Amino acid sequence: MKRPILVIQMQRMGDLILSFPLFLWLERAFPGHPVWVMAEPAFAGPLARLSPRVRYLAYGQHDVVAGEKFHLVLNLSHRRESMDLAGRLQCDALVGGYIRDGVSRVAGEWQEYRMSLTHNNRHNRFHWADLNALDVVPLPVMAATRWPEPRVMPPDVRTIGLFLGASEPDKRPSAAFWAGLVGELERRDWTPVLLGGPGEKDLCRDVRGLAGRPVASACGTLGLDQFAVLGQTLAALVTPDTGPMHLAAWSGLKVLNLSMGPVHAWETGPYQPGHVVLRSARDCVGCWRCRFEGPRCHDPFSPTRVAGVLEAMLRGGGKRLRGLRLPDLEIHASGRRGGLYDLTPLSVRPKAGQLVGAYWRTFWLHAFGAGDGAACHGAAAELRAAHAPLARVMTRHALRFLRTLTASSAAAGQALDWEREPLSLRPLSGYCAAHLANHDASPASRKRALDLAERHLRFLSDTE
């Protein structure tokens, strides 16, 4: 038997579900190599029947992996104990974070890029599910996957699931919002049912109290596998960005994602095609952490608007959604482009920030060997055509940054203060800082940073 592949995924439930595509791709890219997954038993147990066929292990099963020789170890967890374990295992190849001799490192270009997104993800255009795989699975293998569209239920199915909670209060609507949405749905002849885990019991009680009448609820009563089964009977699920949202999308339940608070739909939106994301049109959307006293991105969401989007989504799909104009809100559809996750704007034209993000997407694909320079020139040209002053400013910043790198390269080991750069340049400055730190500012890493800065300047200045 061929050597197994070990994936270490010790993060939250949603992270494990977003690793399911990786498990499929590993089976296709490495035929004959068994796939083992080390995950939290509380999540792996109920999800095992819903996930691709892999061997699940708990973190405590060190004796099982300690003497094994792996073909590949892929650590997707940033927990110190996971990094320490990854650094001690025997393997032909290692990708992701690891610790050896007390020093933390990250192996793999895409995993290094992912590390650079910490507090720096505004212009990131790569989904976590794709970033899990890009270092080890060829893009053609990923692109060949055909994900099924979500189920279209018969017209007489009128039940809508409302998943109330999220990992942080800022990432979910208030109890008053949910109570208002219950009323809006009932007025439109839909039947809402409140959903949530044990942590949502109090929130569910508040919603039912504010509604002032009986509302169907399954909060705190369903395991993850039971939740997936219930989803087979629902017309759709309205939900913030949370683990059960990813389970719903994976299992074919149509999702309306209320993307609010410190979440980024490009990274953690519903992964399969055909779902709908509703988010604020504020320039700060997609932040790592809210810089205001309270998340202002919640303000444009109202029960009436959400109910209208849901009805258009279920009755007319993209055609009806394209006709909606909701000031301060954007409607997007999940899909695929070039084999990777994509969000298609349905109700708005691309803004400056979206074009900047599109440029950086082509840049990193080119930088890591998965795209060509022509796409970068094309994205930069589109940015110049739509926002010429911004493109000129970005070009000046690119030139100055190249000079900064040249000076810091001459003074080897000088730290790079990436946060001093403007937002439009931070994808590059953040990556260069992470790359240099990860390689102790070696000559090769300094050369790599300079090369990337030169390419960026060349694309923006449109020189072949």
Side-chain angles (χ1 to χ4, degrees), residues 394-415:
M394 287 179 63
T395 303
R396 290 198 296 271
H397 290 320
L399 177 59
R400 182 179 51 76
F401 181 66
L402 178 59
R403 290 170 176 166
T404 299
L405 274 181
T406 303
S408 63
S409 182
Q414 180 179 329

Side-chain angles (χ1 to χ4, degrees), residues 15-29:
D15 298 290
L16 179 58
I17 298 169
L18 289 180
S19 301
F20 287 178
L22 168 68
F23 305 159
L24 290 176
W25 293 326
L26 288 174
E27 184 179 9
R28 297 169 186 176

